[in-house]
Amino acid sequence: MLARQTLRFAARNARSFSSTAARPAAAEVKRLGVIGAGQMGLGIALVAAQKANIPVTLVDSSQAALDKGLAFAEKLLAKDVSKERITQEQADAARALLQPTTSIEKLNDVDFVVEAVPEIPELKFDIFAKLAQICPKHAILATNTSSISITRIAAATTGGNPNDTSNSSRVVSTHFMNPVPVQKGVEIISGLQTSQDTLDTAIEFCKRLGKIPSISADRPGFLANRILMPYINEAIICLETGVGDRDSIDAIMKNGTNVPMGPLQLADFIGLDTCLAIMKVLHSETGDSKYRPSVLLKNMVDAGWLGKKSGKGFYEYQ
């Protein structure tokens, strides 16, 4: 079974990187939906408005979250204007394309939707079950998950009939890197049910947003977090066991490997609760002890020291 899945992924991968003339053109995306007005969702929505010049329906169950997200978008646009990256007219045009709502039903006219809510499996399954009923039948249903199986998310759209792939075949992952307006990378992950047309459309749409796609198999952690999170976790273990202090750990990685920030600072930026959640997924789904979360990481999350977003992590923030 595993061999057949591997061959299937390899064949799809080969087709994905073949010449454009060798496959049908990807479907055009004229309207985007984004679920979640937090840092990731807002970033995806703003980039789509700026780079692709398309209207974005931004959905969040909380009006306060929508207000906060849009205020942040206006701050980012004002910063770009002040640095003369864009004109005020361009900023106003991008802001006008962001259409906030607390109703998921408003996604009934999108061509592509990206879910960017917290990494809670049941929450995502519930959202995708609804999207399968609300969105047009041609719409691509994408998730920004960093750790949850795309195959499992796609299965939530079948209504209990796994043989009906009319909805699950249009589920894919577009895992954007944080912060979305700055980072070029995006992981594209297919579930077993994902069709080639869905994959092609996701790749081309991400390129339209100015991103550089990388293709990953649907395995725990995918590519980015399978590599990144053990690196961060090991840095925390080095701090926990006294191999080095905070500043030395971050300094050696910045000055020795030319990364822009050290692993402990990066963990604060990502969110220690997010790091812990991903390590737990890697540990439970692989059964490999090398993915066991650091005791210090768990203790800091228990203390509510989540990093930059809470004001305190390995560093303190105003």
Side-chain angles (χ1 to χ4, degrees):
M1 179 66 176
L2 181 58
R4 289 199 301 272
Q5 292 176 5
T6 303
L7 287 171
R8 178 181 176 182
F9 174 75
R12 174 180 290 161
N13 223 15
R15 290 197 302 270
S16 298
F17 289 102
S18 61
S19 66
T20 305
R23 63 175 187 259
E28 183 178 2
V29 177
K30 296 180 180 178
R31 176 176 284 274
L32 177 68
V34 176
I35 303 177
Q39 187 174 14
M40 293 301 297
L42 189 280
I44 294 165
L46 184 58
V47 168
Q50 282 191 280
K51 299 292 186 179
N53 194 35
I54 58 175
V56 182
T57 303
L58 180 62
V59 181
D60 199 291
S61 59
S62 165
Q63 184 62 50
L66 286 170
D67 294 342
K68 182 178 179 181
L70 292 172
F72 184 55
E74 290 168 358
K75 180 179 179 180
L76 292 177
L77 289 169
K79 183 178 179 180
D80 282 347
V81 171
S82 69
K83 292 184 176 293
E84 299 184 345
R85 294 169 182 158
I86 60 174
T87 65
Q88 185 61 55
E89 290 74 17
Q90 289 172 321
D92 292 341
R95 172 61 184 86
L97 290 171
L98 302 179
Q99 301 167 4
T101 179
T102 57
S103 174
I104 195 173
E105 303 289 338
K106 294 293 181 69
L107 297 175
N108 62 353
D109 62 349
V110 299
D111 303 304
F112 199 110
V113 59
V114 181
E115 164 273 312
V117 304
E119 292 289 273
I120 303 170
E122 282 67 29
L123 174 60
K124 291 181 185 287
F125 300 157
D126 180 63
I127 287 172
F128 274 80
K130 291 177 180 177
L131 291 177
Q133 301 303 314
I134 295 169
C135 296
K137 290 303 179 183
H138 71 275
I140 303 300
L141 311 179
T143 174
N144 188 58
T145 183
S146 59
S147 60
I148 300 169
S149 166
I150 313 308
T151 298
R152 290 181 65 199
I153 293 174
T157 68
T158 65
N161 180 10
N163 294 323
D164 180 2
T165 60
S166 58
N167 290 318
S168 59
S169 65
R170 53 196 181 109
V171 176
V172 69
S173 175
T174 51
H175 177 211
F176 292 85
M177 302 295 109
N178 190 20
V180 182
V182 176
Q183 300 287 14
K184 293 290 187 182
V186 59
E187 281 184 313
I188 309 291
I189 306 108
S190 297
L192 287 180
Q193 311 94 318
T194 306
S195 71
Q196 185 64 44
D197 289 345
T198 295
L199 181 61
D200 290 345
T201 299
I203 291 171
E204 293 306 314
F205 181 63
C206 288
K207 288 180 179 179
R208 187 177 167 194
L209 300 186
K211 303 304 179 185
I212 302 172
S214 295
I215 310 300
S216 172
D218 187 13
R219 302 290 187 271
F222 314 133
L223 280 177
N225 284 326
R226 188 70 169 259
I227 299 168
L228 176 63
M229 287 303 159
Y231 158 71
I232 288 175
N233 192 58
E234 190 62 31
I236 298 171
I237 291 172
C238 285
L239 178 64
E240 177 185 344
T241 57
V243 177
D245 61 26
R246 180 198 69 184
D247 292 344
S248 293
I249 290 168
D250 276 356
I252 192 59
M253 297 313 296
K254 285 193 293 184
N255 300 320
T257 65
N258 202 33
V259 293
M261 64 177 69
L264 301 178
Q265 184 184 7
L266 179 57
D268 274 358
F269 188 83
I270 294 170
L272 302 190
D273 52 340
T274 300
C275 294
L276 178 60
I278 296 169
M279 287 303 299
K280 285 181 175 179
V281 169
L282 287 170
H283 189 214
S284 64
E285 294 196 7
T286 65
D288 194 327
S289 62
K290 72 180 180 182
Y291 298 117
R292 184 174 59 245
S294 159
V295 173
L296 177 58
L297 175 60
K298 290 188 285 187
N299 286 345
M300 292 184 72
V301 172
D302 287 343
W305 298 347
L306 308 181
K308 188 174 181 181
K309 63 185 174 184
S310 71
K312 179 177 177 62
F314 294 108
Y315 296 81
E316 293 190 5
Y317 304 88
Q318 296 300 322

